[in-house]
Amino acid sequence: MIKVAVTDLEYNKAVNIFKNVDGLKCMCAPTPENELAEFIKDNNISHVIVGVNKYWNELYNALPKSGVISRFGVGHDGIDKKLAAEKGLFCTNTPGVLDDSVAECAIGLILAAARHLVICAESNKNLIWKNRVGQELSTKKLAIIGCGNIGQKVAKIASSGFGMNVIGYDIKAIENNVFNEFYGDFTTAVSNADFVSVHIPDIPATKDFINAERLAQIPAKAVLINTARGNVVDENALYDVLVKRKLSGAALDVFKSEPYIPQHPDKDLRTLENVIMTPHIGSSTLEACERMAKCALQNIVHIINN
């Protein structure tokens, strides 16, 4: 039977799927690259399913030619696709299967920020009864930065569910009716925004896309939400505007370093009261994890059979 190594975090997210797949033997493997590579070699494994961790070296030498590196998720910035091609390896991902989960997470962070849900809950646990005045989402302006499938789903929920005024920004035109307005200019899109939600991919062109210059264009009243990738936001610049109250707040599910490590020792986002931080849970729903597992396995089977 063909063996597939599945990194432990991903294996445990959809254990029933991996235990019961026909024709493949899925084995729970360590996540760190050096340990994963040794596990693959020791167990004579041909294919691997990995999560968001970055793999740059040993993994590509451990797998045999025509092996598959199957991403459990959409982003593939942690895979060296050029090196994989040189080694004769296939790379796959699972687009579309986590759109609903990430979109709902973004909406949840918007609502949490608007109503101060996190800090109020924590204060109450610490025996501090303090009422904070929030804001309704109805009629508020939400700027969507990156209008792919997830961005469009966020727009639809925000518009149809909460009555928000949704503005889209993307470098290419989007043909749909989920946005009240659409612009190819960032400054225009975020003008007078109450919330700015980021949904762009992590590619060289988008590194630190939300930088000091663009943060200065976002109104001080706004909250920045990022459920895309940590590399698209300059965390040091974000810290600066939050401390100076040139931005009302931020709700972040993704970071440059995961687990989170401040990019500067004096600019730790965890110290700020106006920041909500979650540990990359956007796609971590039972439904999305099962869809990702099935799709990752189907990708491997497809390559084996072709």
Side-chain angles (χ1 to χ4, degrees), residues 7-39:
T7 47
D8 46 14
L9 180 60
E10 286 61 47
Y11 187 91
N12 290 321
K13 283 182 176 181
V15 62
N16 290 332
I17 302 298
F18 291 124
K19 278 186 174 181
N20 298 298
V21 59
D22 293 331
L24 298 174
K25 181 180 180 181
C26 293
M27 304 174 67
C28 185
T31 293
E33 184 169 20
N34 59 336
E35 296 177 32
L36 177 59
E38 287 300 316
F39 184 90

Side-chain angles (χ1 to χ4, degrees), residues 209-286:
F209 181 84
I210 304 297
N211 54 18
E213 180 182 354
R214 289 192 173 94
L215 285 167
Q217 296 167 12
I218 299 174
K221 67 174 181 175
V223 175
L224 179 74
I225 298 92
N226 185 17
T227 55
R229 278 291 187 267
N231 280 337
V232 304
V233 174
D234 182 335
E235 292 176 359
N236 288 336
L238 176 60
Y239 179 94
D240 290 338
V241 295
L242 289 167
V243 166
K244 297 174 183 177
R245 295 290 175 173
K246 293 184 177 181
L247 192 66
S248 176
L252 312 170
D253 185 50
V254 288
F255 307 91
K256 288 185 180 296
S257 297
E258 297 180 357
Y260 173 74
I261 299 173
Q263 297 301 296
H264 187 285
D266 296 330
K267 297 183 178 183
D268 190 336
L269 292 166
R270 293 170 298 191
T271 65
L272 303 181
E273 185 180 88
N274 55 344
V275 178
I276 297 171
M277 301 170 69
T278 52
H280 203 147
I281 61 172
S283 62
S284 289
T285 62
L286 174 62

Side-chain angles (χ1 to χ4, degrees), residues 29-273:
T31 293
E33 184 169 20
N34 59 336
E35 296 177 32
L36 177 59
E38 287 300 316
F39 184 90
I40 288 170
K41 289 186 287 187
D42 290 344
N43 291 280
N44 195 28
I45 292 172
S46 304
H47 314 291
V48 63
I49 295 175
V50 299
V52 298
N53 284 59
K54 298 185 183 301
Y55 297 95
W56 301 135
N57 192 359
E58 297 102 320
L59 177 61
Y60 306 86
N61 294 320
L63 289 167
K65 187 176 181 180
S66 298
V68 181
I69 301 175
S70 184
R71 261 287 283 122
F72 186 91
V74 175
H76 41 80
D77 44 289
I79 305 299
D80 188 331
K81 291 172 283 295
K82 181 179 179 182
L83 180 57
E86 291 174 357
K87 298 292 184 178
L89 303 173
F90 294 93
C91 299
T92 67
N93 67 338
T94 61
V97 299
L98 48 70
D99 294 353
D100 287 334
S101 292
V102 176
E104 289 177 8
C105 183
I107 291 293
L109 289 173
I110 291 170
L111 185 58
R115 299 303 301 271
H116 310 295
L117 296 181
V118 175
I119 191 168
C120 285
E122 286 301 313
S123 295
N124 206 25
K125 284 184 177 181
N126 292 321
L127 307 181
I128 300 171
W129 185 270
K130 182 178 180 180
N131 187 300
R132 292 174 183 263
V133 177
Q135 56 181 321
E136 296 178 356
L137 297 184
S138 177
T139 73
K140 295 300 187 297
K141 183 174 180 179
L142 168 63
I144 303 287
I145 308 304
C147 301
N149 291 338
I150 295 175
Q152 291 179 39
K153 284 183 179 292
V154 173
K156 185 176 181 179
I157 298 170
S159 177
S160 300
F162 291 96
M164 299 184 79
N165 178 26
V166 184
I167 310 301
Y169 162 81
D170 208 303
I171 58 174
K172 59 182 180 181
I174 304 296
E175 295 183 5
N176 65 71
N177 58 1
V178 300
F179 300 102
N180 296 99
E181 300 174 53
F182 181 88
Y183 299 101
D185 177 69
F186 180 89
T187 305
T188 306
V190 301
S191 175
N192 202 36
D194 298 288
F195 301 90
V196 177
S197 190
V198 182
H199 302 281
I200 56 179
D202 180 9
I203 57 177
T206 61
K207 185 178 186 299
D208 289 336
F209 181 84
I210 304 297
N211 54 18
E213 180 182 354
R214 289 192 173 94
L215 285 167
Q217 296 167 12
I218 299 174
K221 67 174 181 175
V223 175
L224 179 74
I225 298 92
N226 185 17
T227 55
R229 278 291 187 267
N231 280 337
V232 304
V233 174
D234 182 335
E235 292 176 359
N236 288 336
L238 176 60
Y239 179 94
D240 290 338
V241 295
L242 289 167
V243 166
K244 297 174 183 177
R245 295 290 175 173
K246 293 184 177 181
L247 192 66
S248 176
L252 312 170
D253 185 50
V254 288
F255 307 91
K256 288 185 180 296
S257 297
E258 297 180 357
Y260 173 74
I261 299 173
Q263 297 301 296
H264 187 285
D266 296 330
K267 297 183 178 183
D268 190 336
L269 292 166
R270 293 170 298 191
T271 65
L272 303 181
E273 185 180 88

